[in-house]
Amino acid sequence: MSDAAQNIAEHIAGIRGKIDTAARAVERDPAQVSMIAVSKKQPDDRVQAALEAGHRVYGENRVQEAQQRWSERRAQIPDLDLHLVGALQSNKAKDAVELFDAIHSVDRESVAKALSKEIARQGRRPELFVQLNTGEEPQKAGIAPGAADAFIAWCRDELDLPVVGAMCLPPVDEEPAPHFALLAKIAARNALPKLSMGMSGDYETAVKLGATHVRVGSALFGAREG
Ligand SMILES: *Cc1c(COP(=O)(O)O)cnc(C)c1O
């Protein structure tokens, strides 16, 4: 194994260990927390190293980049688990439903409708997370907390979407914990069992507040290109 590959294997083990410790600290079962290795904009040899280390759960933020990286591997590695963590455009819903096992970025009505149409057409039902704009930032995607209950109900009841969880990206200049707590509260009152929250800088906090999916990129692979 090359030095770089060795490094990535160590990072995976180290982050997994911290996730497990954080989970146990709040009496959660570490097995309930999935570590998504966010491979966007990473050189392919790093991703190959993570695969060789046995990691199977990956996240991407662009459909086209994900197709290039994963379409062939998908056929070769049956237990791959692919998550779209970035914004989805409605005209990419077809490709996204074809490729991904989970989509974390259901952030507006048009996207929900496009996904509903494709899921019905393809008969593939990726797990869906509703993205909430917990900081109510005008430039950021996501449903406002005050509109969350109605949006989630509409997705489930009117569109028959397989919504299983909620996702957030806290404002960069704020403590993430109150945002994670708010996300957990909204998910709980809507009976959504899964929480996608926590990135390289704050995944341990997120696990302590109930994350079932942490999305870790640079801490695992190193700094991104471009
Ligand atoms: C890039 C990205 C991540 C990973 O970020 P790191 O800080 O590198 O861990 C997580 N979630 C989303 C939505 C992202 O776009």
Side-chain angles (χ1 to χ4, degrees), residues 198-205 219:
M199 310 180 12
S200 286
D202 53 21
Y203 63 87
E204 292 167 277
T205 304

Side-chain angles (χ1 to χ4, degrees), residues 65-102:
E65 188 187 340
Q67 284 175 318
Q68 284 163 10
R69 197 191 293 285
W70 296 110
S71 291
E72 270 183 40
R73 284 182 168 126
R74 168 115 255 177
Q76 295 154 357
I77 310 171
D79 56 345
L80 261 187
D81 186 12
L82 295 180
H83 295 246
L84 178 65
V85 301
L88 178 63
Q89 274 145 9
S90 301
N91 63 1
K92 293 277 166 57
K94 171 177 176 288
D95 293 340
V97 168
E98 265 167 28
L99 182 65
F100 290 100
D101 301 293

Side-chain angles (χ1 to χ4, degrees), residues 5-226:
Q6 181 70 36
N7 247 328
I8 282 167
E10 280 166 15
H11 290 170
I12 289 172
I15 294 165
R16 187 67 241 183
K18 287 185 190 171
I19 290 170
D20 294 0
T21 302
R24 286 197 200 94
V26 294
E27 294 174 5
R28 295 187 60 209
D29 176 3
Q32 299 301 309
V33 186
S34 174
M35 175 174 76
I36 302 173
V38 179
S39 46
K40 68 179 186 203
K41 295 202 187 90
Q42 292 289 349
D44 205 61
D45 58 331
R46 296 186 190 167
V47 176
Q48 192 55 36
L51 282 165
E52 279 162 24
H55 197 71
R56 290 294 178 265
V57 189
Y58 294 87
E60 293 284 350
N61 74 334
R62 297 181 69 103
V63 175
Q64 213 171 345
E65 188 187 340
Q67 284 175 318
Q68 284 163 10
R69 197 191 293 285
W70 296 110
S71 291
E72 270 183 40
R73 284 182 168 126
R74 168 115 255 177
Q76 295 154 357
I77 310 171
D79 56 345
L80 261 187
D81 186 12
L82 295 180
H83 295 246
L84 178 65
V85 301
L88 178 63
Q89 274 145 9
S90 301
N91 63 1
K92 293 277 166 57
K94 171 177 176 288
D95 293 340
V97 168
E98 265 167 28
L99 182 65
F100 290 100
D101 301 293
I103 296 171
H104 293 235
S105 44
V106 182
D107 59 2
R108 55 191 189 276
E109 285 187 12
S110 57
V111 165
K113 282 186 187 162
L115 286 170
S116 168
K117 195 174 130 210
E118 275 309 316
I119 285 170
R121 203 179 63 81
Q122 297 184 31
R124 251 197 125 240
R125 291 174 72 79
E127 292 197 326
L128 303 182
F129 292 73
V130 170
Q131 182 172 347
L132 300 182
N133 187 357
T134 57
E136 304 198 50
E137 295 173 276
Q139 83 288 4
K140 196 169 270 181
I143 305 296
D149 296 359
F151 183 79
I152 292 163
W154 175 74
C155 285
R156 290 205 284 217
D157 303 339
E158 301 294 320
L159 300 182
D160 188 31
L161 287 177
V163 178
V164 300
M167 178 273 213
C168 75
L169 276 164
V172 286
D173 54 353
E174 288 183 30
E175 276 295 320
H179 296 275
F180 297 157
L182 174 60
L183 193 75
K185 193 173 124 189
I186 293 171
R189 74 172 182 238
N190 286 284
L192 295 178
K194 301 193 179 181
L195 287 172
S196 169
M197 58 191 198
M199 310 180 12
S200 286
D202 53 21
Y203 63 87
E204 292 167 277
T205 304
V207 169
K208 288 183 183 162
L209 290 166
T212 60
H213 294 71
V214 294
R215 310 179 307 265
V216 184
S218 46
L220 197 154
F221 290 111
R224 281 182 279 279
E225 293 185 326

